[in-house]
Amino acid sequence: MKLLVLGDAHLTAATVPDIGVEATEIDFVVVVGDLLDNRCRSVETGEEVLRSIARSVAPVGFVPGNHDYPYHDTLTTIEGVIDLTESDTWEGVRFVGLGCDRFNAGTEIQYLHDPFQGDAEQVDEWLGAYREQEFGSSPPTGSDLVRSELSASELERYSARLRHLRDGLDGASEPRVLVSHVPPFNTPIDVIREDGSPLQGHHWGSVAARHALREHSPTLCLCGHIHGAAGVVEVDGTLCVNPGYRGAKTIDIGGESVGIDDVEVDYE
């Protein structure tokens, strides 16, 4: 299968992408979210673009980003567009999606606020104990590890998102592709690099996505969200791809090999 993966487009009413790839080469298009920008109040722009891609290139798999999550239902009822948050197998490849349901997306555990000013490794260690007791009550921790209790909403959000990914990935014999708008936590592709950001230098990806990679090692993880952290890296045995802001890549899945190439997309 040959995929075309489109990174965060952040379309406005005036932008129309011109994709520099032959439609006959592509079997499936994956849009990793933030097709629209929250400043663009016209969902019709997104509908038009998705409809055009589905007609002229290939069927489209979509997960909502933090900018376009209010239009999730509208954008996934278009003919030729598949809602990957429901999981779907397309031409022998299993796609499992994790989208956004809020604007303030990122790590499920907000680890950079008072009274807990921990780091990524401490979050991972603490949640490891939480998972081992099958999402029971908050596990005991060392006094310098994390705050003794995380909010119930943080833990429930993490638990629900990891369970969703487990349900989609468990028991699948075909190649599996995890599509998450927010990249996996504590990796080179989830680091905030924006000058002046209070989160600069910190990891701000999805802990649930990272732990799903660790447990299941799917063939690919496709993501976006962190514009300044575009790249291709291997994480826990999975090849992870963040095309970046208005970036695009083709990915060949064939046998034991995965081929990745850049694609020119012109946003007029």
Side-chain angles (χ1 to χ4, degrees), residues 210 213-214 216-221 233-240:
R210 176 64 190 275
L213 296 186
R214 188 173 297 166
H216 297 277
S217 295
T219 303
L220 284 172
C221 174
V233 297
E234 185 171 317
V235 177
D236 297 325
T238 294
L239 194 63
C240 299

Side-chain angles (χ1 to χ4, degrees), residues 110-118 147:
Q110 304 290 295
Y111 71 104
L112 293 173
H113 59 70
D114 201 40
F116 173 37
Q117 290 292 331
R147 67 185 192 266

Side-chain angles (χ1 to χ4, degrees), residues 30-112:
V30 176
V31 176
V32 298
D34 281 0
L35 178 70
L36 294 172
D37 190 275
N38 70 340
R39 294 167 294 183
C40 175
R41 303 304 178 189
S42 173
V43 67
E44 289 81 8
T45 298
E47 291 179 278
E48 180 182 344
V49 168
L50 287 180
R51 191 175 290 112
S52 174
I53 294 173
R55 287 175 177 170
S56 62
V57 183
V60 179
F62 177 81
V63 296
N66 58 303
H67 280 255
D68 46 25
Y69 75 89
Y71 311 114
H72 183 180
D73 292 341
T74 302
L75 294 173
T76 52
T77 54
I78 299 167
E79 185 177 357
V81 176
I82 298 166
D83 182 1
L84 294 184
T85 65
E86 298 296 328
S87 299
D88 205 298
T89 299
W90 185 262
E91 296 195 4
V93 176
R94 178 74 166 170
F95 291 88
V96 180
L98 188 66
C100 295
D101 58 4
R102 62 179 65 181
F103 183 75
N104 183 24
T107 179
E108 291 86 358
I109 305 301
Q110 304 290 295
Y111 71 104
L112 293 173

Side-chain angles (χ1 to χ4, degrees), residues 143-163:
S143 60
D144 61 348
L145 179 59
V146 296
R147 67 185 192 266
S148 59
E149 293 183 4
L150 298 177
S151 72
S153 62
E154 285 178 300
L155 291 178
E156 176 55 33
R157 181 171 174 76
Y158 163 76
S159 302
R161 287 163 70 83
L162 181 55
R163 286 191 179 110

Side-chain angles (χ1 to χ4, degrees), residues 156-178:
E156 176 55 33
R157 181 171 174 76
Y158 163 76
S159 302
R161 287 163 70 83
L162 181 55
R163 286 191 179 110
H164 168 76
L165 293 176
R166 282 173 163 174
D167 288 345
L169 294 168
D170 272 346
S173 57
E174 59 268 54
R176 297 163 298 170
V177 177
L178 193 162

Side-chain angles (χ1 to χ4, degrees), residues 244-259:
Y245 173 69
R246 292 189 171 178
K249 293 185 182 294
T250 56
I251 302 179
D252 272 304
I253 306 175
E256 299 297 320
S257 63
V258 176

